Amino acid sequence: MDATFEVLSEEELGRVTATYAPLAEAVRDLIDATVRTHADDDVIAEARAAIQKVTESLRSQRIRPHGVSYRVDGRPLPLGNAATGQCNPIAPPVVVHHEDDGRCWSEFVLGAAYEGPPSLVHGGVCALVLDHMLGEAASQGLTKPLFTGTITVKYLRGTPLGPLRAEAFVERTEGVKAFARGHLSDAAGVTVEAEGVFIKPAWARDPE
């Protein structure tokens, strides 16, 4: 594998989360404000200069290389993940919860940064969230190496911006494959359904 992992203790994990997750959340708020602002030119110029200064400050410090992430108790913690990375402000604010029966779910709010058609979530963002949720279920919370082989997404109606819920579960397994299903819903019901096949890579299979 190309990925490099830095092993953390539970205590170190708490420090990393307490340090970086609030920064990502603050930037996520900034993205929302940037998308929605109608501020005057001088306010925009001042904001741009301040943002550039902060960016230069962050880049002047230690930078984590691409492909480097953390591992806690054998479980990867991909901080830059595009769907759930705690250090990635463009990632939807998805926190995945796992049930004893193998199902997983998340409740979150998608704002202006995730818009496609006016007032609706971009279809690609819906697919991103469901791909990750199905993968969480198939890999038993990212503890097993299974990756997306195929995924089919069915859009039943537009998904409105605002509070949403995603759910996923494994329907069956066949050898190195796990077949997962899930959906995205709002207060009125399901908006998007998905099913996918997740495959254990060759390097993780038992030698014959």
Side-chain angles (χ1 to χ4, degrees):
M1 294 181 64
D2 294 330
T4 301
F5 291 97
E6 179 180 337
V7 178
L8 296 180
S9 66
E10 287 291 342
E11 181 179 354
E12 290 170 328
L13 171 62
R15 178 191 61 79
V16 167
T17 301
T19 300
Y20 298 122
L23 173 62
E25 183 60 32
V27 177
R28 190 177 288 120
D29 288 342
L30 174 62
I31 292 170
D32 183 82
T34 300
V35 171
R36 301 171 63 187
T37 187
H38 280 172
D40 294 336
D41 291 356
D42 57 340
V43 174
I44 296 298
E46 182 180 351
R48 185 176 67 248
I51 292 167
Q52 290 172 338
K53 184 176 180 179
V54 170
T55 300
E56 292 171 2
S57 174
L58 291 175
R59 284 181 171 163
S60 70
Q61 304 296 310
R62 185 169 66 96
I63 296 294
R64 181 168 53 85
H66 293 296
V68 176
S69 193
Y70 298 110
R71 187 180 292 276
V72 180
D73 290 337
R75 183 175 185 236
L77 183 69
L79 297 182
N81 185 283
T84 60
Q86 294 184 51
C87 284
N88 190 346
I90 70 167
V94 174
V95 177
V96 183
H97 305 274
H98 292 267
E99 302 293 345
D100 292 339
D101 63 1
R103 290 175 176 264
C104 62
W105 60 274
S106 180
E107 293 182 344
F108 48 93
V109 177
L110 294 185
Y114 306 102
E115 187 177 52
S119 79
L120 299 176
V121 180
H122 193 290
V125 174
C126 296
L128 169 71
V129 171
L130 285 170
D131 179 36
H132 186 85
M133 292 297 295
L134 268 62
E136 284 265 357
S139 65
Q140 300 176 30
L142 305 183
T143 62
K144 308 286 185 182
L146 280 90
F147 302 115
T148 309
T150 61
I151 186 168
T152 301
V153 181
K154 183 178 181 180
Y155 298 90
L156 305 183
R157 59 183 172 87
T159 301
L161 295 172
L164 299 169
R165 179 181 174 94
E167 301 180 36
F169 65 95
V170 173
E171 191 171 49
R172 70 183 190 280
T173 58
E174 294 179 7
V176 298
K177 298 180 180 180
F179 297 77
R181 299 178 68 90
H183 64 261
L184 191 64
S185 62
D186 65 357
V190 175
T191 62
V192 186
E193 296 176 338
E195 60 182 29
V197 181
F198 293 79
I199 303 172
K200 182 182 290 187
W203 56 261
R205 300 174 190 176
D206 295 330
E208 298 181 357

